[in-house]
Each structure stands twice: as C-alpha cells, then as structure tokens.
C-alpha cells in the first residue's frame, strides 16, 4: 500500500471518528447557550479565514495585489448593502483593474 492510500485511509478514519464523536455528545451540552452561540459563528469564521488566506497570500508569501483590493471593494459594497451581483462585478473589475495597472496597462 502506498503512502498516499495510507493517508487517505487514515484521513477517512479520522473523519468517521470525528463524526461519531459529534453524534455521541449529549444533547444538553449542545443546547447550552454558550455552545450554541459559538457554533453559530464557526462557519463564518472558517469562511473568513479561507478568504483571507486566498486574498493575501501566494505560496508562503504575504502579497498585496488586485485580489486584496477586490476584497476591500467587496467589503465596502456589502457594507453599503449593494446587491450581490453588483458586489461581484465591483470586486472583479477592481481586481482586474489593479492587475492591469500593475502590468503597465
């Protein structure tokens, strides 16, 4: 068995055990107000972390480029309650514009 298949099997086992552990938690623990409040914010925190890594890094280096500019414009547009399509267009155009200006466009 190759190392890749061993890693796949160990990862699968780990996911299964994590699922079983989640299902075996008593309902009283999950319904606790503090736990419920934290669980509500976990998906948003994970998504924010993924977006930050994709927008501000390239490999292992921290970069400031069109992706970060597009993210800032998208955040401002969302804060101003712009429709989602408008947010996407503004972010895409900003990122493309910064890239075009950076390449001597």
């Amino acid at each position: 068995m190759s190392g890749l298949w061993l890693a796949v099997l160990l990862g699968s086992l780990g996911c299964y055990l994590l699922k079983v552990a989640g299902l075996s938690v008593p309902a009283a623990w999950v319904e606790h107000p503090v736990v419920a409040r934290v669980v509500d914010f976990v998906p948003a925190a994970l998504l924010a972390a993924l977006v930050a890594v994709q927008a501000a890094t390239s490999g292992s280096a921290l970069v400031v480029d069109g992706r970060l500019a597009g993210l800032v414009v998208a955040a401002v547009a969302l804060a101003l309650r712009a429709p989602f399509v408008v947010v996407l267009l503004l972010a895409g155009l900003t990122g493309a514009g910064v890239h075009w200006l950076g390449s001597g466009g």
Side-chain angles (χ1 to χ4, degrees):
M1 178 182 305
S2 72
L4 177 63
W5 280 109
L6 182 62
V8 168
L9 289 174
L10 288 175
S12 299
L13 179 64
C15 289
Y16 179 76
L17 292 175
L18 189 60
K19 183 73 169 179
V20 169
L23 292 173
S24 64
V25 172
W29 291 5
V30 177
E31 294 168 357
H32 193 272
V34 174
V35 173
R37 197 164 166 218
V38 169
V39 168
D40 285 342
F41 290 111
V42 168
L46 289 174
L47 182 59
L50 289 171
V51 168
V53 167
Q54 290 297 314
T57 62
S58 181
S60 61
L62 188 63
V63 295
V64 177
D65 60 6
R67 296 175 296 170
L68 194 56
L71 181 61
V72 169
V73 168
V76 170
L78 285 171
L80 296 174
R81 301 205 180 270
F84 189 65
V85 172
V86 173
V87 172
L88 291 177
L89 287 172
L90 289 173
L93 290 172
T94 301
V98 169
H99 180 71
W100 181 69
L101 289 173
S103 66

